[in-house]
């Protein structure tokens, strides 16, 4: 009986603990290198995805962002909406995102870093939504002066691998340099982690910065 009670207590404890974690989600994380001049800013949605049997616990772009962090010791900033009105169901989210795009919306960002002065290199990670970046990425890149920065865009996609985000980002930010996009299929990031890691490693080795 004692053992059963102990088990219930532990399971309940884990449940409460994970609930707290969600609420107090850390969105601007110090990387492993305290002197880093590299920031990884990304947007990603875990949950229902087209072509997936199950809901994802961590978004595809988030997985790639973490792989990059592992290689750089960079700080990570998860771009999170101030008001998260994105529906959970894929079809509903697709409609919602389409409307945001048609309206050229600029959804507000929660806890946006005040300035990016500390960083020379900024990786910007995005999923492809309706053949473009989600509108919240526009909010982010329009919020800062990137003229003395190098931007390295990366994206995950479902089926359109020929989208070019780097040209858009170059035009908007007038950054000192914008590298070509690194792109990887969301399914590969999510389900074939070792293949994804190899692709990230290969890309990383080819980067000069
Ligand atoms: C609203 C929405 C629209 C999407 N539109 C496209 C698209 O136009 N082209 C494409 O290749 N993938 C599209 N996808 C698939 C995502 O790009 C892909 O699943 C991506 O890896 C999701 O990244 P995340 O898990 O980091 O959010 C779309 C996904 C969503 C949710």
């Amino acid at each position: 009986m004692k053992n059963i009670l102990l088990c219930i207590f532990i399971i309940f404890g884990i449940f409460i603990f994970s609930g707290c974690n969600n609420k107090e989600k850390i969105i601007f994380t110090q990387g492993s290198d305290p002197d880093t001049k590299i920031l990884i800013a990304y947007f990603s949605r875990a949950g229902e995805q087209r072509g997936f049997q199950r809901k994802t616990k961590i978004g595809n772009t988030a997985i790639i962002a973490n792989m990059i962090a592992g290689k750089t010791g960079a700080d990570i900033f998860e771009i999170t909406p101030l008001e998260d009105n994105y529906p959970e169901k894929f079809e509903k989210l697709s409609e919602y995102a389409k409307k945001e795009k048609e309206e050229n919306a600029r959804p507000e960002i929660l806890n946006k870093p005040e300035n990016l002065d500390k960083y020379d290199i900024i990786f910007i990670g995005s999923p492809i939504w309706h053949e473009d970046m989600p509108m919240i990425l526009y909010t982010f890149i329009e919020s800062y002066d990137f003229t003395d920065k190098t931007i390295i865009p990366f994206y995950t996609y479902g089926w359109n691998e020929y989208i070019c985000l780097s040209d858009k980002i170059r035009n908007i930010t007038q950054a000192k340099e914008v590298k070509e996009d690194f792109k990887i299929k969301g399914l590969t990031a999510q389900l074939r982690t070792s293949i994804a890691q190899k692709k990230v490693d290969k890309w990383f080795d080819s980067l000069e910065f």
Side-chain angles (χ1 to χ4, degrees):
M1 184 62 185
K2 250 187 185 174
N3 281 349
I4 293 171
L5 279 174
L6 188 66
C7 279
I8 292 171
F9 184 72
I10 290 169
I11 291 167
F12 192 62
I14 290 169
F15 187 69
I16 291 177
F17 183 70
S18 54
C20 286
N21 263 354
N22 277 344
K23 271 191 194 145
E24 292 168 15
K25 197 165 160 194
I26 299 164
I27 61 163
F28 195 26
T29 316
Q30 174 94 57
S32 57
D33 174 3
D35 299 323
T36 187
K37 291 186 178 309
I38 308 176
L39 176 69
I40 303 161
Y42 73 94
F43 175 74
S44 184
R45 302 287 299 171
E48 200 176 275
Q49 299 202 13
R50 205 177 98 162
F52 279 56
Q53 301 295 323
R54 54 176 172 77
K55 287 183 182 178
T56 60
K57 291 203 172 109
I58 170 165
N60 306 333
T61 314
I63 291 172
I64 301 300
N66 281 297
M67 287 180 182
I68 299 169
K71 297 194 77 69
T72 55
D75 292 344
I76 297 199
F77 172 62
E78 180 180 359
I79 299 169
T80 308
L82 180 65
E83 283 175 27
D84 193 338
N85 296 321
Y86 295 118
E88 260 202 45
K89 295 259 165 222
F90 177 82
E91 294 304 335
K92 288 253 158 63
L93 176 57
S94 180
E95 276 167 36
Y96 189 92
K98 200 169 186 185
K99 193 157 169 272
E100 263 193 1
K101 187 178 173 182
E102 283 162 3
E103 290 172 355
N104 200 20
R106 293 294 181 272
E108 279 189 71
I109 295 171
L110 179 76
N111 280 11
K112 199 160 53 176
E114 266 175 30
N115 66 58
L116 301 187
D117 283 356
K118 184 189 163 196
Y119 304 103
D120 295 333
I121 297 163
I122 298 162
F123 286 82
I124 296 182
S126 174
I128 296 298
W129 278 11
H130 299 293
E131 303 185 4
D132 203 340
M133 296 178 273
M135 300 317 287
I136 197 163
L137 260 300
Y138 285 89
T139 313
F140 181 77
I141 61 177
E142 287 171 3
S143 299
Y144 298 101
D145 180 359
F146 290 97
T147 45
D148 63 346
K149 316 273 181 213
T150 295
I151 298 180
I152 309 180
F154 62 99
Y155 71 75
T156 67
Y157 63 90
W159 51 94
N160 288 126
E161 64 184 298
Y162 297 110
I163 308 289
C164 177
L165 297 185
S166 52
D167 282 351
K168 288 184 192 193
I169 294 175
R170 197 172 289 120
N171 284 340
I172 296 168
T173 60
Q174 304 290 311
K176 187 176 76 182
E177 188 186 6
V178 179
K179 304 273 190 199
E180 292 310 305
D181 302 316
F182 171 72
K183 44 188 125 168
I184 185 162
K185 205 170 185 166
L187 270 170
T188 307
Q190 190 64 235
L191 303 175
R192 298 177 170 184
T193 321
S194 59
I195 294 176
Q197 183 70 63
K198 277 188 192 139
K199 282 181 190 264
V200 169
D201 291 349
K202 197 170 166 204
W203 162 60
F204 211 79
D205 291 343
S206 72
L207 275 177
E208 282 169 17
F209 60 85

